[in-house]
Amino acid sequence: MSKIIRVGVTFPPDLLRELDEVLEETGYESRSKAIQDSVSAFVSEHKWLREQKGMRVGVLVVLYDHEVKGLNEALIDTQHEHADVIYSSMHIHLSERDCLEAIAVKGEAEEIKKLTQELKTKKGVKQVKLSIVY
Ligand code: NI
């Protein structure tokens, strides 16, 4: 068995509470195991994305808090910068704060990746999921 390394991680209280609820529901015996599984999924998702090449078609689903200052404008700017791979988009006002955007993408994998990363890393963006279908 490989050596285990201990690291310190900070969490917003809400996220930690939600994590504990999931642990309770799913029967995980420790936070460490759940966090290791999450990190592992995060890493394989990144590896999968890195391996995508050539022409691709898919959908990006973006969940974000529109009350975060400047976020709306930043998301629109990013989409304009990558307009050549954006086929169409749909905006849904989910709740008072949350917006969901479904962005149909078609084009070079490299550029779809750049667009995905740029959306993902903005403050106030809660979730970005990319489904490549073709
Ligand atoms: Ni909205």
Side-chain angles (χ1 to χ4, degrees), residues 68-126:
V68 171
K69 204 167 173 281
L71 181 58
N72 262 329
E73 294 77 3
L75 292 174
I76 291 168
D77 284 349
T78 299
Q79 291 186 56
H80 276 262
E81 282 160 25
H82 298 277
D84 49 328
V85 293
I86 296 176
Y87 210 62
S88 164
S89 73
M90 176 173 66
H91 186 104
I92 302 156
H93 309 298
L94 273 190
S95 68
E96 240 169 65
R97 295 187 70 151
D98 290 334
C99 293
L100 181 77
E101 241 166 64
I103 306 167
V105 290
K106 181 182 179 186
E108 270 301 315
E110 278 306 317
E111 197 170 344
I112 295 172
K113 278 187 245 182
K114 276 188 203 151
L115 170 64
T116 307
Q117 283 310 119
E118 282 175 35
L119 295 173
K120 212 177 240 185
T121 49
K122 291 196 182 347
K123 188 174 177 278
V125 172
K126 297 176 170 183

Side-chain angles (χ1 to χ4, degrees), residues 7-16 19 31 35:
V7 290
V9 182
T10 59
F11 281 89
D14 285 355
L15 182 59
L16 197 58
L19 173 66
R31 280 179 178 163
I35 293 165

